[in-house]
Amino acid sequence: MRIWITGVLALAGWVAAGMAGAQDLMVEKKVFELPSFTTQSGRTLKQVRVGWESYGTLNADKSNAVLICHFFSGNSHAAGKYAASDAAPGYWDAIIGPGKAIDTDKYFVIASDTLVNLNTGDPKTTTTGPASIDPDTGKPYALDFPIVGIRDFVEVQKALVESLGIKKLALVAGPSMGSLQTFEWAASHPEMVAKAMPVIGAAEADAMLIGWLDVWAAPVLVDSNWNGGNYYGKAPPLAGLAKALAAVTLQANHQDWANATFGRRPAKEGDDPAKALLNRFQFQSVLDNAGAARAKVSDANHFLYLIKANQLFTAGGTSLADGMAKIRAPMLYITQPKDLVFTPDAVERTVKAAKDAGRDITHVTIDGSRGHLDGVMSMKQAEGAIRAFLAK
């Protein structure tokens, strides 16, 4: 989740640093609107809007559509650039594009923003959530916005897909929180998913993940500016959100990268951390600066709603076993053994549940020093496995 999260989890600058060789695929951001949408909780929302983009061309019988679901702190920008001057392409540009593993000369690839998307301050993100204006009151929803889950994200995507006349997806895929959406698609709408590719995720949020997500949320909840979620028009809880995003970034990475890149160097030459309480290590400073930068374009309530959606997740909405029993699509499951968000034991439970249910699952791993983030930054490694999977 850039996370992912759950997702997914990476900060834009770090993702960009891992993407070599920008591509020339040019894309346009669009907006999809539903006049009304009823959530799984039974609440009906008016004027639900999400951003989306596409790559490639939909064929005549509309059989070549692929859906990419984004990670926790991401948005629909999975590949290509909006302008040639963009610093970096979309997060999965290494595997999406002309001649790439998910070949846009063959496939029509769709990606959309989720409900309660984190990036409310990004002009290239469109989402409906607590920061949105409630048409009935003319004021931001704040915590009056209903609880939404991964299934709600999927149902909005389904409406978008169906609005394009697409009845079946050749592939649904995504990293971290995108993998949760992929599992949910396959379990809840098996007739619409030909193949599924969940990456750096699991088919259920286990107790430890629920607990870690609570740790992520804590700095926001103790920031006095959060004010019970009623901060719109006032000073937002930027300090708490910045610390929360720093925690996300820490867990999305791995000690191999942290130790090799920063070690125990002080944040400022000559300011020995042993000499004063407020003297810091370089890695502390980097995490805080990254969190603060990201907080400026994010919304704290959206962050909390995303956490709740991830905590509530079980594919199919029942149990891990029942969810796997509903899936019909062959799955290519890609994980990173050093992942500190979706840990090896969670991955093993997912694989076991799939096999116990008689599902067609191929499990491959990727390497790297970034842990969870390798599922965003190191996907080129999986190119051969993806090509073989799609060719079956």
Side-chain angles (χ1 to χ4, degrees), residues 4-362:
W4 339 308
I5 197 185
T6 98
V8 51
L9 285 175
L11 295 175
W14 289 351
V15 171
M19 298 286 192
Q23 303 299 309
D24 57 4
L25 182 67
M26 292 291 115
V27 298
E28 176 188 1
K29 193 68 180 270
K30 307 163 193 174
V31 175
F32 173 68
E33 182 169 335
L34 282 168
S36 67
F37 173 72
T38 301
T39 67
Q40 295 298 298
S41 69
R43 176 89 169 271
T44 297
L45 298 168
K46 299 176 182 178
Q47 300 171 15
V48 168
R49 303 172 79 243
V50 294
W52 69 286
E53 55 196 76
S54 62
Y55 329 104
T57 303
L58 187 61
N59 61 13
D61 64 2
K62 301 185 178 182
S63 63
N64 69 332
V66 168
L67 177 67
I68 303 297
C69 308
H70 68 70
F71 49 86
F72 184 93
S73 63
N75 65 6
S76 67
H77 197 36
K81 290 185 172 185
Y82 298 126
S85 58
D86 288 354
Y91 64 88
W92 259 9
D93 194 79
I95 59 168
I96 299 172
K100 297 179 182 178
I102 301 175
D103 189 350
T104 52
D105 290 333
K106 179 178 181 181
Y107 295 105
F108 175 65
V109 182
I110 307 163
S112 74
D113 301 330
T114 63
L115 295 173
V116 301
N117 189 285
L118 180 63
N119 307 284
T120 56
D122 176 5
K124 292 295 188 182
T125 300
T126 301
T127 187
T128 297
S132 303
I133 300 299
D134 180 348
D136 290 336
T137 67
K139 300 177 181 179
Y141 285 100
L143 298 197
D144 188 48
F145 196 78
I147 296 298
V148 291
I150 300 299
R151 177 68 180 271
D152 291 302
F153 300 174
V154 166
E155 293 304 315
V156 173
Q157 292 163 355
K158 181 174 180 285
L160 166 61
V161 167
E162 290 177 336
S163 77
L164 300 172
I166 298 164
K167 296 181 179 179
K168 189 165 187 174
L169 294 159
L171 175 72
V172 178
S176 191
M177 189 179 79
S179 74
L180 276 57
Q181 295 167 76
T182 299
F183 281 121
E184 186 63 41
W185 259 102
S188 295
H189 300 292
E191 75 289 350
M192 291 187 67
V193 180
K195 294 180 180 179
M197 190 180 82
V199 178
I200 55 168
E204 183 177 65
D206 65 11
M208 282 300 290
L209 181 57
I210 291 168
W212 275 116
L213 290 169
D214 194 56
V215 170
W216 292 3
V220 172
L221 299 176
V222 299
D223 187 324
S224 61
N225 285 343
W226 182 61
N227 190 35
N230 296 309
Y231 54 82
Y232 299 109
K234 306 172 185 176
L238 288 179
L241 184 56
K243 267 298 184 185
L245 289 165
V248 173
T249 302
L250 176 64
Q251 195 170 1
N253 279 283
H254 190 269
Q255 57 262 34
D256 287 354
W257 168 77
N259 290 331
T261 306
F262 304 103
R264 294 178 53 80
R265 290 191 294 275
K268 186 177 180 181
E269 194 65 35
D271 286 353
D272 184 350
K275 298 297 184 182
L277 184 65
L278 297 183
N279 287 357
R280 321 190 72 216
F281 290 96
Q282 185 182 36
F283 191 40
Q284 289 177 286
S285 181
V286 165
L287 288 173
D288 278 351
N289 290 340
R294 188 59 191 265
K296 291 177 181 177
V297 294
S298 302
D299 181 81
N301 283 338
H302 281 233
F303 180 82
L304 297 174
Y305 272 71
L306 280 171
I307 283 177
K308 176 67 79 171
N310 282 271
Q311 288 175 319
L312 292 172
F313 177 69
T314 296
T318 50
S319 68
L320 182 56
D322 289 342
M324 280 297 174
K326 296 176 183 177
I327 293 174
R328 295 291 176 265
M331 292 177 280
L332 174 61
Y333 187 30
I334 302 173
T335 65
Q336 217 286 26
K338 295 177 181 177
D339 194 331
L340 300 178
V341 179
F342 291 101
T343 55
D345 58 319
V347 169
E348 289 170 11
R349 284 195 297 275
T350 295
V351 172
K352 183 179 185 301
K355 291 182 176 179
D356 287 350
R359 302 306 91 187
D360 179 353
I361 186 167
T362 301

